[in-house]
Amino acid sequence: MKLMEIKELLDAEVLIGEDTLNTEIYSAFACDLMSDVLAFVEDKSLLLTGLTNLQTIRTAEMMDIDAIVFVRGKIPNQEILTLAKENNMCILSTKHILYQSCGILYNKGLRGANIMHK
Amino acid sequence: MGTVNLAFHVAKEDFSKAGEASSSIKKTLKKLGIDSKIIRKVAIVTYEAEMNIVIHSHGGKITVDIDTEKIKIQAIDQGPGIADTNKAMEIGFSTATQKVRELGFGAGMGLPNIKRNSDKFAISSEIDKYTKIESSIYLTK
Ligand SMILES: Nc1ncnc2c1ncn2[C@@H]1O[C@H](COP(=O)(O)OP(=O)(O)O)[C@@H](O)[C@H]1O
Ligand SMILES: [Mg+2]
Protein backbone atom coordinates (compact mmCIF):
# COMPACT_ATOMS: atom_id res chain seq x y z
CA MET A 1 0.00 0.00 0.00
CA LYS A 2 1.41 3.38 -0.97
CA LEU A 3 1.75 6.15 1.61
CA MET A 4 -0.58 8.21 -0.56
CA GLU A 5 -3.33 5.64 -0.07
CA ILE A 6 -2.67 5.52 3.67
CA LYS A 7 -2.94 9.30 3.82
CA GLU A 8 -6.27 9.19 1.99
CA LEU A 9 -7.74 6.26 3.94
CA LEU A 10 -6.91 7.94 7.25
CA ASP A 11 -7.91 11.37 6.00
CA ALA A 12 -4.49 12.43 7.24
CA GLU A 13 -2.51 15.60 6.99
CA VAL A 14 1.04 15.32 5.61
CA LEU A 15 3.31 17.14 8.07
CA ILE A 16 6.62 16.12 6.48
CA GLY A 17 7.54 14.23 3.34
CA GLU A 18 5.05 15.17 0.58
CA ASP A 19 7.70 13.88 -1.82
CA THR A 20 7.71 10.38 -0.25
CA LEU A 21 4.03 9.56 -0.78
CA ASN A 22 4.85 7.17 -3.60
CA THR A 23 6.75 4.90 -1.22
CA GLU A 24 5.30 1.41 -0.85
CA ILE A 25 4.51 0.27 2.71
CA TYR A 26 4.29 -3.47 3.36
CA SER A 27 3.42 -3.71 7.06
CA ALA A 28 2.52 -1.71 10.15
CA PHE A 29 3.12 -1.68 13.90
CA ALA A 30 1.12 0.34 16.42
CA CYS A 31 2.00 1.24 20.00
CA ASP A 32 2.83 4.00 22.45
CA LEU A 33 5.79 2.18 23.94
CA MET A 34 9.09 2.84 22.20
CA SER A 35 10.75 -0.07 24.01
CA ASP A 36 8.25 -2.33 22.25
CA VAL A 37 9.26 -0.93 18.88
CA LEU A 38 12.91 -1.57 19.76
CA ALA A 39 12.17 -5.05 21.06
CA PHE A 40 9.76 -6.41 18.46
CA VAL A 41 9.77 -4.76 15.08
CA GLU A 42 11.69 -6.63 12.38
CA ASP A 43 10.40 -4.97 9.24
CA LYS A 44 10.81 -1.54 7.77
CA SER A 45 7.19 -0.91 8.70
CA LEU A 46 4.82 1.97 9.22
CA LEU A 47 4.57 3.11 12.84
CA LEU A 48 1.24 4.31 14.20
CA THR A 49 1.48 6.01 17.59
CA GLY A 50 0.01 8.69 19.82
CA LEU A 51 3.39 9.52 21.26
CA THR A 52 4.73 12.75 19.78
CA ASN A 53 8.18 13.38 21.19
CA LEU A 54 11.75 13.31 19.91
CA GLN A 55 12.20 9.77 21.16
CA THR A 56 9.56 8.57 18.71
CA ILE A 57 11.60 9.92 15.80
CA ARG A 58 14.88 8.62 17.24
CA THR A 59 13.37 5.19 17.77
CA ALA A 60 12.09 5.17 14.20
CA GLU A 61 15.53 6.24 12.97
CA MET A 62 17.19 3.38 14.87
CA MET A 63 14.74 0.85 13.42
CA ASP A 64 14.83 2.15 9.81
CA ILE A 65 11.18 3.13 10.02
CA ASP A 66 10.62 5.99 7.63
CA ALA A 67 6.91 6.60 7.93
CA ILE A 68 4.96 7.51 11.07
CA VAL A 69 1.26 8.22 11.58
CA PHE A 70 0.43 10.28 14.64
CA VAL A 71 -3.10 9.46 15.78
CA ARG A 72 -5.79 11.28 17.79
CA GLY A 73 -5.04 14.52 15.93
CA LYS A 74 -1.63 14.91 17.51
CA ILE A 75 0.85 17.26 15.89
CA PRO A 76 4.44 17.21 17.10
CA ASN A 77 6.37 20.44 17.61
CA GLN A 78 8.75 21.97 15.06
CA GLU A 79 11.91 20.53 16.63
CA ILE A 80 10.50 17.04 16.22
CA LEU A 81 9.40 17.66 12.64
CA THR A 82 12.83 19.05 11.80
CA LEU A 83 14.49 15.88 13.05
CA ALA A 84 12.03 13.81 11.02
CA LYS A 85 12.83 15.85 7.93
CA GLU A 86 16.58 15.41 8.45
CA ASN A 87 15.93 11.68 8.41
CA ASN A 88 13.84 11.88 5.23
CA MET A 89 10.78 10.53 7.01
CA CYS A 90 7.13 10.83 6.10
CA ILE A 91 5.01 12.13 8.98
CA LEU A 92 1.23 11.95 8.81
CA SER A 93 -1.33 13.10 11.35
CA THR A 94 -4.85 11.67 11.51
CA LYS A 95 -7.82 12.58 13.71
CA HIS A 96 -8.75 8.91 14.12
CA ILE A 97 -7.88 7.09 17.34
CA LEU A 98 -5.21 4.38 17.20
CA TYR A 99 -7.73 1.53 17.13
CA GLN A 100 -9.72 3.07 14.31
CA SER A 101 -6.62 3.90 12.27
CA CYS A 102 -5.33 0.34 12.51
CA GLY A 103 -8.75 -1.05 11.64
CA ILE A 104 -9.04 1.06 8.52
CA LEU A 105 -5.61 0.05 7.21
CA TYR A 106 -5.95 -3.62 8.16
CA ASN A 107 -9.30 -3.78 6.46
CA LYS A 108 -7.66 -2.57 3.25
CA GLY A 109 -5.05 -5.31 3.44
CA LEU A 110 -2.07 -3.74 5.24
CA ARG A 111 -0.75 -6.53 7.42
CA GLY A 112 0.92 -6.36 10.83
CA ALA A 113 4.70 -6.18 11.02
CA ASN A 114 6.77 -9.31 11.50
CA ILE A 115 7.95 -9.39 15.05
CA MET A 116 10.89 -11.05 16.73
CA HIS A 117 9.91 -14.22 18.52
CA LYS A 118 11.72 -14.79 21.74
CA MET B 1 39.22 -1.73 7.13
CA GLY B 2 41.41 -0.84 10.11
CA THR B 3 40.04 -0.15 13.54
CA VAL B 4 37.60 2.67 14.14
CA ASN B 5 37.04 4.11 17.60
CA LEU B 6 34.16 6.39 18.50
CA ALA B 7 33.37 8.10 21.81
CA PHE B 8 30.37 10.18 22.89
CA HIS B 9 29.45 11.99 26.08
CA VAL B 10 25.88 11.46 27.21
CA ALA B 11 24.31 14.04 29.52
CA LYS B 12 21.81 13.10 32.20
CA GLU B 13 18.17 14.10 31.79
CA ASP B 14 18.79 15.85 28.48
CA PHE B 15 15.89 14.37 26.55
CA SER B 16 16.29 16.74 23.62
CA LYS B 17 19.75 15.28 22.90
CA ALA B 18 18.98 11.72 23.92
CA GLY B 19 19.70 9.55 20.92
CA GLU B 20 22.25 11.81 19.25
CA ALA B 21 25.15 9.52 20.08
CA SER B 22 23.29 6.48 18.73
CA SER B 23 22.35 8.43 15.63
CA SER B 24 25.99 9.36 14.94
CA ILE B 25 27.11 5.81 15.54
CA LYS B 26 24.50 4.49 13.13
CA LYS B 27 25.53 6.98 10.44
CA THR B 28 29.20 6.04 10.82
CA LEU B 29 28.45 2.33 10.52
CA LYS B 30 26.43 2.99 7.36
CA LYS B 31 29.35 4.91 5.87
CA LEU B 32 31.66 2.02 6.69
CA GLY B 33 29.36 -0.25 4.70
CA ILE B 34 28.49 -2.54 7.63
CA ASP B 35 25.66 -5.03 7.00
CA SER B 36 22.25 -3.54 7.81
CA LYS B 37 21.26 -6.40 10.14
CA ILE B 38 24.37 -5.74 12.22
CA ILE B 39 23.73 -2.00 12.18
CA ARG B 40 20.23 -2.60 13.51
CA LYS B 41 21.57 -4.63 16.44
CA VAL B 42 24.15 -1.97 17.26
CA ALA B 43 21.48 0.73 17.00
CA ILE B 44 19.22 -1.04 19.49
CA VAL B 45 22.09 -1.65 21.92
CA THR B 46 23.46 1.88 21.77
CA TYR B 47 20.06 3.58 21.89
CA GLU B 48 18.75 1.62 24.89
CA ALA B 49 22.10 2.11 26.65
CA GLU B 50 22.10 5.82 25.83
CA MET B 51 18.52 6.20 27.11
CA ASN B 52 19.51 4.43 30.32
CA ILE B 53 22.38 6.87 30.88
CA VAL B 54 20.05 9.82 30.23
CA ILE B 55 17.21 8.45 32.36
CA HIS B 56 18.89 6.62 35.22
CA SER B 57 22.43 7.97 35.65
CA HIS B 58 24.40 11.08 36.53
CA GLY B 59 25.81 11.12 33.00
CA GLY B 60 28.36 9.04 31.18
CA LYS B 61 29.79 8.03 27.86
CA ILE B 62 29.43 5.51 25.09
CA THR B 63 32.38 4.15 23.17
CA VAL B 64 32.30 2.00 20.06
CA ASP B 65 35.34 0.11 18.81
CA ILE B 66 35.13 -1.52 15.44
CA ASP B 67 37.69 -3.97 14.16
CA THR B 68 37.57 -6.61 11.45
CA GLU B 69 35.83 -9.15 13.71
CA LYS B 70 33.42 -7.26 15.88
CA ILE B 71 31.81 -4.08 17.08
CA LYS B 72 32.38 -3.53 20.78
CA ILE B 73 30.08 -1.12 22.58
CA GLN B 74 30.73 0.15 26.09
CA ALA B 75 28.40 2.40 28.07
CA ILE B 76 29.87 3.71 31.30
CA ASP B 77 28.36 6.24 33.66
CA GLN B 78 29.24 8.00 36.89
CA GLY B 79 26.60 6.39 39.08
CA PRO B 80 24.34 6.07 41.03
CA GLY B 81 24.93 2.40 40.18
CA ILE B 82 22.57 -0.57 40.35
CA ALA B 83 22.10 -2.43 43.64
CA ASP B 84 21.09 -5.75 42.07
CA THR B 85 22.09 -6.17 38.43
CA ASN B 86 20.33 -9.55 38.17
CA LYS B 87 17.08 -7.88 39.15
CA ALA B 88 17.72 -5.01 36.70
CA MET B 89 18.13 -7.57 33.90
CA GLU B 90 14.64 -9.00 34.47
CA ILE B 91 12.05 -8.18 31.81
CA GLY B 92 9.64 -5.67 33.31
CA PHE B 93 11.83 -4.47 36.17
CA SER B 94 12.01 -0.68 36.13
CA THR B 95 12.48 2.20 38.52
CA ALA B 96 11.58 4.78 35.87
CA THR B 97 9.28 7.68 36.73
CA GLN B 98 5.95 8.53 35.14
CA LYS B 99 7.68 11.24 33.11
CA VAL B 100 9.99 8.69 31.54
CA ARG B 101 7.07 6.37 30.81
CA GLU B 102 5.40 9.19 28.93
CA LEU B 103 8.42 9.21 26.59
CA GLY B 104 7.74 5.58 25.72
CA PHE B 105 10.44 4.10 27.93
CA GLY B 106 10.48 2.68 31.45
CA ALA B 107 8.89 -0.67 30.69
CA GLY B 108 11.94 -2.53 31.95
CA MET B 109 12.77 -3.94 28.55
CA GLY B 110 15.97 -2.05 27.76
CA LEU B 111 18.64 -4.19 29.39
CA PRO B 112 17.07 -7.51 28.29
CA ASN B 113 16.84 -6.15 24.74
CA ILE B 114 20.50 -5.05 24.83
CA LYS B 115 21.49 -8.53 25.93
CA ARG B 116 19.37 -10.22 23.28
CA ASN B 117 21.00 -8.21 20.50
CA SER B 118 24.53 -8.84 21.78
CA ASP B 119 26.72 -11.82 20.93
CA LYS B 120 28.64 -11.13 24.11
CA PHE B 121 27.22 -9.12 26.99
CA ALA B 122 28.30 -8.05 30.48
CA ILE B 123 26.94 -5.65 33.06
CA SER B 124 28.79 -4.49 36.14
CA SER B 125 28.01 -1.83 38.67
CA GLU B 126 29.04 -0.39 41.99
CA ILE B 127 26.71 1.75 44.09
CA ASP B 128 27.61 5.46 44.02
CA LYS B 129 30.37 4.74 41.50
CA TYR B 130 29.35 3.46 38.08
CA THR B 131 27.34 1.20 35.84
CA LYS B 132 29.07 -0.38 32.87
CA ILE B 133 27.52 -2.25 29.99
CA GLU B 134 29.72 -4.12 27.55
CA SER B 135 28.29 -5.55 24.37
CA SER B 136 30.03 -7.17 21.43
CA ILE B 137 28.40 -7.86 18.11
CA TYR B 138 30.37 -10.06 15.70
CA LEU B 139 30.70 -9.06 12.09
CA THR B 140 31.44 -12.53 10.76
CA LYS B 141 28.65 -15.04 11.16
N1 LIG C 1 22.86 3.33 33.74
C1 LIG C 1 22.07 3.00 34.78
N2 LIG C 1 22.29 3.55 36.01
C2 LIG C 1 21.49 3.22 37.05
N3 LIG C 1 20.46 2.36 36.98
C3 LIG C 1 20.21 1.79 35.80
C4 LIG C 1 20.99 2.07 34.64
N4 LIG C 1 20.50 1.33 33.61
C5 LIG C 1 19.46 0.64 34.10
N5 LIG C 1 19.28 0.89 35.41
C6 LIG C 1 18.28 0.27 36.32
O1 LIG C 1 17.82 -0.94 35.73
C7 LIG C 1 16.42 -0.87 35.48
C8 LIG C 1 16.05 -1.63 34.23
O2 LIG C 1 16.62 -1.00 33.08
P1 LIG C 1 15.96 -1.24 31.66
O3 LIG C 1 15.85 -2.72 31.43
O4 LIG C 1 16.70 -0.47 30.64
O5 LIG C 1 14.48 -0.67 31.83
P2 LIG C 1 13.95 0.83 31.94
O6 LIG C 1 15.03 1.74 31.47
O7 LIG C 1 12.78 0.82 31.06
O8 LIG C 1 13.59 1.06 33.37
C9 LIG C 1 16.11 0.61 35.45
O9 LIG C 1 14.77 0.91 35.75
C10 LIG C 1 17.06 1.16 36.50
O10 LIG C 1 16.56 0.92 37.81
MG1 LIG D 1 16.12 1.41 29.77
Side-chain angles (χ1 to χ4, degrees):
Chain A
M1 187 181 289
K2 284 207 186 334
L3 276 171
M4 176 61 90
E5 194 180 346
I6 291 170
K7 165 199 167 341
E8 274 158 20
L9 287 169
L10 297 179
D11 199 10
E13 192 184 333
V14 184
L15 302 179
I16 292 288
E18 274 293 345
D19 53 324
T20 65
L21 294 179
N22 252 324
T23 309
E24 193 71 34
I25 297 291
Y26 298 97
S27 67
F29 190 86
C31 74
D32 281 356
L33 186 61
M34 291 306 119
S35 286
D36 266 358
V37 180
L38 291 161
F40 292 108
V41 179
E42 267 192 81
D43 300 342
K44 259 182 93 125
S45 22
L46 173 76
L47 174 65
L48 297 105
T49 183
L51 207 65
T52 52
N53 58 54
L54 272 178
Q55 268 64 52
T56 305
I57 309 294
R58 285 294 186 205
T59 301
E61 181 192 354
M62 291 305 130
M63 302 305 278
D64 300 311
I65 290 172
D66 18 57
I68 303 173
V69 177
F70 289 117
V71 298
R72 307 191 284 274
K74 295 199 176 180
I75 307 234
N77 69 31
Q78 200 51 53
E79 187 192 6
I80 293 163
L81 291 177
T82 304
L83 184 64
K85 201 173 173 66
E86 276 170 27
N87 283 289
N88 301 314
M89 290 176 182
C90 178
I91 307 290
L92 303 176
S93 175
T94 176
K95 293 224 158 38
H96 292 298
I97 58 171
L98 184 57
Y99 182 78
Q100 190 94 359
S101 307
C102 295
I104 291 168
L105 298 180
Y106 189 84
N107 210 17
K108 289 285 178 181
L110 185 63
R111 63 173 182 82
N114 282 317
I115 60 163
M116 293 179 223
H117 294 281
K118 300 171 206 179
Chain B
M1 188 173 79
T3 63
V4 177
N5 309 288
L6 312 170
F8 301 87
H9 283 280
V10 180
K12 68 164 181 177
E13 283 171 21
D14 190 348
F15 291 101
S16 69
K17 293 216 167 61
E20 279 187 4
S22 305
S23 174
S24 292
I25 292 163
K26 183 167 180 173
K27 286 184 183 121
T28 304
L29 296 185
K30 266 193 192 161
K31 269 191 214 133
L32 291 172
I34 307 269
D35 179 78
S36 64
K37 284 209 181 82
I38 304 269
I39 295 184
R40 165 174 286 231
K41 287 183 180 186
V42 175
I44 293 169
V45 168
T46 57
Y47 188 47
E48 285 284 12
E50 184 175 3
M51 289 309 293
N52 277 356
I53 295 178
V54 174
I55 295 166
H56 304 293
S57 89
H58 301 321
K61 67 173 181 184
I62 294 182
T63 61
V64 180
D65 302 301
I66 307 153
D67 61 31
T68 48
E69 282 172 11
K70 64 181 180 308
I71 299 176
K72 181 167 188 192
I73 302 139
Q74 297 188 78
I76 309 165
D77 64 50
Q78 292 131 33
I82 300 175
D84 183 346
T85 50
N86 287 328
K87 186 110 207 135
M89 289 303 302
E90 284 173 14
I91 291 174
F93 176 83
S94 177
T95 57
T97 59
Q98 186 54 33
K99 190 185 159 224
V100 168
R101 285 171 212 270
E102 280 161 17
L103 294 172
F105 287 86
M109 295 169 68
L111 290 173
N113 201 17
I114 292 173
K115 186 175 180 189
R116 194 157 51 92
N117 281 283
S118 307
D119 293 314
K120 228 173 110 190
F121 171 86
I123 179 168
S124 56
S125 185
E126 216 176 303
I127 286 291
D128 288 335
K129 294 220 169 90
Y130 73 95
T131 294
K132 182 176 178 185
I133 304 278
E134 292 170 277
S135 160
S136 291
I137 295 164
Y138 298 122
L139 294 169
T140 45
K141 248 208 306 193

